[in-house]
Amino acid sequence: MALHWKRAIRKLWRRARLVASGPLAANTAEFTGLFPSRVRLRRLATGFGFGEGPIWLPEEDCLLFSDIRASRIHRLPADGQVAVFREPSGHSNGLTRDATGRLIACEQGNRRVTI
């Protein structure tokens, strides 16, 4: 019986990897309608555990986002070279800024909001 479950799990894992590594596609008209027709989807980076909380920093021309599982906040500048912005991040998820521009992170691991 255990061998049967192991095979089933391996099969599901292979399918998941194929889906995760496949081409990006907009599957609904509602999603496609959010962007101008000239916009094309493109994968910029991979290898993250659970990405969440993206926030654009216009003055730095970069995107910050959380990788909850890795307890990191990453920085993605226009050149596409992802770098660690903060580690550990307290397993941060949501990111935003206050009225003065300071980064605010919701740290689920520490059960707090930090600036």
Side-chain angles (χ1 to χ4, degrees), residues 11-30:
K11 192 176 200 179
L12 286 171
W13 178 247
R14 281 193 295 270
R15 283 186 193 163
R17 285 193 332 214
L18 289 174
V19 169
S21 64
L24 292 173
N27 294 326
T28 66
E30 293 84 5

Side-chain angles (χ1 to χ4, degrees), residues 44 50-58 62-68 72-76 92-97 103-105:
L44 300 176
F50 191 110
E52 191 169 308
I55 184 166
W56 180 253
L57 304 180
C62 74
L63 181 77
L64 296 181
F65 63 95
S66 296
D67 183 346
I68 298 171
R72 291 185 191 120
I73 298 174
H74 293 281
R75 183 178 186 277
L76 177 63
S92 67
N93 46 31
L95 302 174
T96 192
R97 295 173 89 180
L103 182 67
I104 298 173

Side-chain angles (χ1 to χ4, degrees), residues 30-90:
E30 293 84 5
F31 182 77
T32 306
L34 294 172
F35 307 98
S37 61
R38 67 183 183 282
V39 171
R40 300 288 177 254
L41 292 176
R42 186 175 72 154
R43 180 172 295 147
L44 300 176
T46 61
F48 307 104
F50 191 110
E52 191 169 308
I55 184 166
W56 180 253
L57 304 180
E59 70 279 5
E60 295 184 32
D61 200 25
C62 74
L63 181 77
L64 296 181
F65 63 95
S66 296
D67 183 346
I68 298 171
R69 288 188 186 138
S71 191
R72 291 185 191 120
I73 298 174
H74 293 281
R75 183 178 186 277
L76 177 63
D79 68 7
Q81 299 298 312
V82 178
V84 174
F85 178 79
R86 181 185 298 164
E87 180 181 26
S89 72

